[in-house]
Amino acid sequence: MKMTAKQRAYFVREMEETFGRSEAESNQMVEQLQRVLSGQDQEIVYALQYSLFRNEDHPEYVRKLIHFLFHGFSYLYRSAETEEEREQLHVGNEMLFNYLFVDRYLYATTMERRSNAAQHILKNVSDQLNDLLTTQERMLANLSHEMRTSLNAITGYLALIEENHVLRGEEAQYLEKAQSGAQSLQSLVKDLLDITKLNSNQLEIHAEYFSPHAMLLDAINHVPIMDNPHVVFGFVPAFFPYRVRGDKMHTMEVVINFLSNAFKYTEAGNVKLEMHVETLPRGVQIGFRVTDTGVGMTPEQVENIFTPYSRYQMTKQGLGLGMYIAKQLTERLGGTLHVSSTPGAGSAFEVRFIFDDIQPVECPHRGKKIFVFLESEEARFAEDEKADFFRASGVDVQVYHDEAMVIGYLLDPQSETPDILVIHGTPSTYTKFDPLIYYLRSQRRFDRTLFLAEETGIPLPLKYFDEVCQYSFDVSRYCKIFTERSEKKREAVVESDTTLRILVVDDITTNRDIFKLFVQKRYPHAEIDTAGGGHEALAMCRLVSYDVMFLDLKMPGLDGYQLLQRLQTDHPALPPVYAFSADVYKETYRRVKESGFTGLLEKPLQPEKLFALIEELST
């Protein structure tokens, strides 16, 4: 079919108005359309098909193109002069429709089938991956449970050996090395446990009031700071006479990971831990910053440091989980983490937390006396905020700088005896005062005085100081000392005369033995019965009334949950019953609470927590 001049003019005008083409471009397109109608060339059909594919995300253009084609063919069909021309247009229209729409539909259908097949394959892969991850988490959970159970025996017996002071000299060093190894193993197990908790959303958040300064001192004690004599450690806490409410243990774990990482990658130089406090309209923001002069990192290494199982140097010990865990814990606790580093010059890690619930440290001990000997003017305790805090609370703080004057005062039988005597000096000063304290105690005048060696800087073998700290105590520790001294007689009676009847149920003999040894050492009058299984425990409870029970959760036969259920049925008035387990997941805590347990005591056994429970029951 050959278009007339009138038909050509119609298409030129439509192309100009619809697509904004120039007259020359429109004439060129009309020539291509004429060749299609004459059966000479299909190029324009392919061009239109490509144009639809390319502009499918632009519906207005596609609408215009379809509108143009529909009306164009309609116009040609109406203006055709012969039936032959109409038949040719009918065939051409059908061919164009097939090219532009039927082929497109078939292509889309094929793509949809392939997409459905791909989604089915991906779903199968995802299900298999989820099954694998669930199996891996279960394996790690079981592994950490078994390892924590074994560590309960290792750390328990080592602690008992240390408390009995049966080893001296080189043998005592062997014990110290064994304890260090056990602590490293316990740290690795904790990392595995934390990973499974974080990945399965089983992290348990425990809110409590704590002193940030005291928390940092605990964190320092968990890091082998003295292992490398070429690294100098500095601790710069902020004066902050308040307690904050938050998750102390997980906050401390973040700081421990920062410190461990700093010492790991600093062969020589300095590591410093700082604490900064910023007052907010409601609460405070506290920053904990660890800086080092170690190997440093490139920007790429900084970006990858929070990837699990990644280590900057493969020769270093560890699983490569510390920084990943620190970041995840920081996010779960609502904090922010900042890292800066320069290759060869060191790194800085800082975490900031906002605490909107704080309470002041109270020191209701007006009239108490603190005497301080400062060998160095640098400490300047008399002008320190700590001294001002105690003086504002009514505590008498006296500072001495002359050693002979202090010794003369202590030896004078007419002198007042302080409640606390604090020594700040050089290592030789501490070792000089150590035997003097023994002599003073022998005179019975200083029975109620607590002798503190503060800011020693290095570990010293001091025998007669009551407490020794390489750094400065926070004010809450002094207040706690006053409280402990005030209640010393009552606590001594509790420790020696406690006659609680305790039942410990655990299928592992070692766990029962360690539990019993710890309790008997602190409370010799307590009566402790042990059972190796649930049925044995049921029989014992029919014969004896207990003041408190500790039930292992994982036991053959009757587990801890089933045993508690039987006990609740047989005994309407049960005493406090605690779960005793190495399984410390969030789900475990939830189930323990819902089952009716009084609480959960974790393995490895931490004596101070056990003793706190017993003393609470004794009051």
Side-chain angles (χ1 to χ4, degrees):
M1 174 185 174
K2 185 176 177 67
M3 287 189 291
T4 65
K6 183 179 179 181
Q7 290 172 331
R8 291 177 65 90
Y10 167 83
F11 279 106
V12 169
R13 185 177 64 254
E14 286 294 315
M15 287 182 183
E16 290 175 345
E17 292 178 358
T18 303
F19 301 107
R21 300 291 179 89
S22 65
E23 184 178 357
E25 290 175 325
S26 299
N27 278 310
Q28 185 178 1
M29 294 292 292
V30 170
E31 285 294 332
Q32 290 179 331
L33 179 59
Q34 177 61 70
R35 289 197 295 273
V36 171
L37 294 174
S38 304
Q40 299 174 349
D41 191 0
Q42 303 296 324
E43 179 181 347
I44 191 173
V45 177
Y46 297 121
L48 290 171
Q49 188 181 47
Y50 173 73
S51 181
L52 280 174
F53 275 100
R54 188 185 64 179
N55 293 282
E56 61 183 359
D57 292 332
H58 301 279
E60 182 60 25
Y61 174 82
V62 175
R63 187 190 65 77
K64 287 181 180 181
L65 180 58
I66 294 174
H67 184 272
F68 169 77
L69 292 173
F70 176 78
H71 286 282
F73 268 93
S74 298
Y75 169 74
L76 287 174
Y77 196 83
R78 289 194 308 272
S79 60
E81 297 177 354
T82 66
E83 190 66 31
E84 182 181 357
E85 288 180 345
R86 291 189 182 91
E87 182 62 27
Q88 289 177 352
L89 286 170
H90 178 75
V91 173
N93 186 33
E94 184 177 351
M95 179 190 66
L96 185 64
F97 181 83
N98 285 332
Y99 267 107
L100 296 185
F101 302 109
V102 175
D103 285 358
R104 174 62 178 169
Y105 169 75
L106 294 174
Y107 173 78
T109 303
T110 302
M111 290 300 101
E112 184 178 6
R113 284 199 303 267
R114 291 178 180 176
S115 175
N116 290 338
Q119 290 179 9
H120 181 71
I121 293 172
L122 288 174
K123 184 179 184 305
N124 287 337
V125 172
S126 177
D127 290 343
Q128 292 179 23
L129 182 59
N130 287 334
D131 289 342
L132 178 62
L133 291 175
T134 301
T135 302
Q136 182 187 42
E137 288 177 2
R138 190 181 301 115
M139 180 197 70
L140 289 175
N142 291 335
L143 177 63
S144 64
H145 177 276
E146 296 304 319
M147 293 180 73
R148 285 167 67 87
T149 300
S150 299
L151 279 169
N152 185 55
I154 296 171
T155 57
Y157 283 128
L158 289 176
L160 288 168
I161 293 172
E162 182 183 33
E163 287 185 10
N164 288 331
H165 303 290
V166 296
L167 301 180
R168 294 289 184 272
E170 191 175 17
E171 291 180 339
Q173 293 181 2
Y174 294 156
L175 174 62
E176 184 178 340
K177 291 179 180 179
Q179 289 177 313
S180 177
Q183 185 175 347
S184 298
L185 181 58
Q186 193 165 343
S187 176
L188 292 176
V189 174
K190 193 176 189 313
D191 284 348
L192 286 173
L193 184 62
D194 283 340
I195 282 292
T196 57
K197 284 183 177 181
L198 289 167
N199 290 341
S200 58
N201 197 30
Q202 289 289 315
L203 186 71
E204 184 78 7
I205 302 298
H206 297 283
E208 61 180 313
Y209 285 102
F210 68 93
S211 162
H213 185 159
M215 180 274 292
L216 292 180
L217 290 175
D218 290 340
I220 291 170
N221 289 333
H222 282 78
V223 181
I225 288 175
M226 294 301 167
D227 282 3
N228 188 346
H230 303 294
V231 178
V232 177
F233 177 65
F235 176 41
V236 186
F239 179 75
F240 186 65
Y242 296 88
R243 295 183 180 91
V244 299
R245 183 169 175 80
D247 192 320
K248 174 186 175 182
M249 297 308 297
H250 287 128
T251 304
M252 182 172 73
E253 188 173 352
V254 174
V255 177
I256 289 172
N257 283 328
F258 287 171
L259 283 173
S260 299
N261 192 73
F263 279 97
K264 184 184 295 185
Y265 293 107
T266 305
E267 298 291 340
N270 302 285
V271 172
K272 183 165 65 173
L273 170 60
E274 300 172 273
M275 170 183 162
H276 304 281
V277 179
E278 178 184 350
T279 302
L280 301 176
R282 181 182 176 184
V284 294
Q285 176 177 264
I286 301 181
F288 305 109
R289 180 179 175 87
V290 175
T291 56
D292 64 67
T293 58
V295 295
M297 295 177 289
T298 64
E300 293 76 17
Q301 289 166 338
V302 170
E303 187 175 343
N304 293 330
I305 193 172
F306 298 112
T307 303
Y309 306 106
S310 66
R311 284 184 286 170
Y312 174 57
Q313 294 180 1
M314 298 304 293
T315 56
K316 300 296 183 180
Q317 292 182 344
L319 297 176
L321 295 174
M323 290 295 100
Y324 171 76
I325 291 172
K327 184 174 186 296
Q328 295 297 313
L329 288 177
T330 299
E331 293 175 353
R332 298 292 176 91
L333 298 175
T336 56
L337 195 153
H338 307 273
V339 184
S340 60
S341 187
T342 303
S347 304
F349 291 82
E350 182 174 11
V351 63
R352 298 172 187 169
F353 296 104
I354 293 177
F355 300 96
D356 54 15
D357 188 356
I358 63 176
Q359 59 177 208
V361 174
E362 297 181 355
C363 190
H365 299 286
R366 182 173 297 274
K368 297 291 185 180
K369 295 179 175 59
I370 300 178
F371 289 1
V372 184
F373 168 56
L374 294 177
E375 190 170 25
S376 168
E377 288 285 349
E378 296 178 0
R380 302 182 65 80
F381 190 99
E383 298 178 16
D384 189 73
E385 293 171 299
K386 187 189 297 183
D388 293 338
F389 167 80
F390 287 121
R391 286 175 178 143
S393 301
V395 177
D396 181 12
V397 180
Q398 297 185 29
V399 182
Y400 298 88
H401 295 284
D402 185 272
E403 180 181 304
M405 181 181 296
V406 174
I407 295 175
Y409 180 92
L410 295 174
L411 294 176
D412 184 353
Q414 304 302 318
S415 300
E416 289 185 285
T417 56
D419 295 281
I420 298 177
L421 176 64
V422 184
I423 305 296
H424 285 257
T426 62
S428 61
T429 302
Y430 295 114
T431 54
K432 185 185 301 182
F433 270 88
D434 200 38
L436 175 62
I437 293 171
Y438 174 74
Y439 171 76
L440 294 172
R441 287 268 170 79
S442 69
Q443 303 302 304
R444 299 292 184 185
R445 289 185 53 239
F446 291 86
D447 286 345
R448 68 182 186 89
T449 300
L450 189 73
F451 294 89
L452 306 182
E454 198 171 355
E455 292 279 3
T456 64
I458 59 173
L460 295 174
L462 304 176
K463 295 182 179 181
Y464 304 111
F465 276 94
D466 293 282
E467 294 196 33
V468 178
C469 188
Q470 295 172 231
Y471 314 100
S472 62
F473 288 114
D474 67 307
V475 293
S476 65
R477 180 64 189 129
Y478 281 89
C479 296
K480 185 177 180 182
I481 288 170
F482 284 137
T483 302
E484 289 173 346
R485 285 298 176 185
S486 299
E487 300 178 353
K488 184 177 180 181
K489 292 183 179 180
R490 185 188 65 80
E491 291 183 353
V493 171
V494 169
E495 290 186 12
S496 61
D497 293 344
T498 295
T499 56
L500 290 177
R501 193 73 185 261
I502 301 172
L503 175 63
V504 181
V505 186
D506 198 306
D507 61 313
I508 298 177
T509 305
T510 303
N511 291 339
R512 301 195 301 269
D513 291 344
I514 288 176
F515 198 109
K516 191 170 184 177
L517 287 169
F518 273 128
V519 175
Q520 286 181 331
K521 188 173 182 64
R522 181 72 171 265
Y523 309 102
H525 295 285
E527 298 182 38
I528 307 167
D529 291 338
T530 62
H535 293 290
E536 182 182 358
L538 288 174
M540 296 172 70
C541 289
R542 293 189 186 101
L543 301 175
V544 179
S545 295
Y546 292 99
D547 299 300
V548 62
M549 302 181 191
F550 296 89
L551 312 182
D552 183 26
L553 293 180
K554 289 188 176 182
M555 296 184 293
L558 286 178
D559 63 22
Y561 299 107
Q562 295 167 331
L563 175 56
L564 176 61
Q565 189 175 16
R566 291 282 298 274
L567 289 171
Q568 290 169 335
T569 302
D570 296 344
H571 304 275
L574 275 179
V577 182
Y578 289 87
F580 184 41
S581 178
D583 187 358
V584 289
Y585 285 86
K586 182 178 181 180
E587 176 64 24
T588 306
Y589 276 93
R590 183 195 63 78
R591 190 178 174 191
V592 162
K593 183 177 181 180
E594 291 179 352
S595 299
F597 282 97
T598 308
L600 188 149
L601 187 64
E602 296 182 6
K603 299 176 186 176
L605 182 62
Q606 300 176 54
E608 64 277 6
K609 292 188 175 181
L610 172 62
F611 298 153
L613 291 178
I614 293 176
E615 289 172 13
E616 184 178 343
L617 292 167
S618 303
T619 55

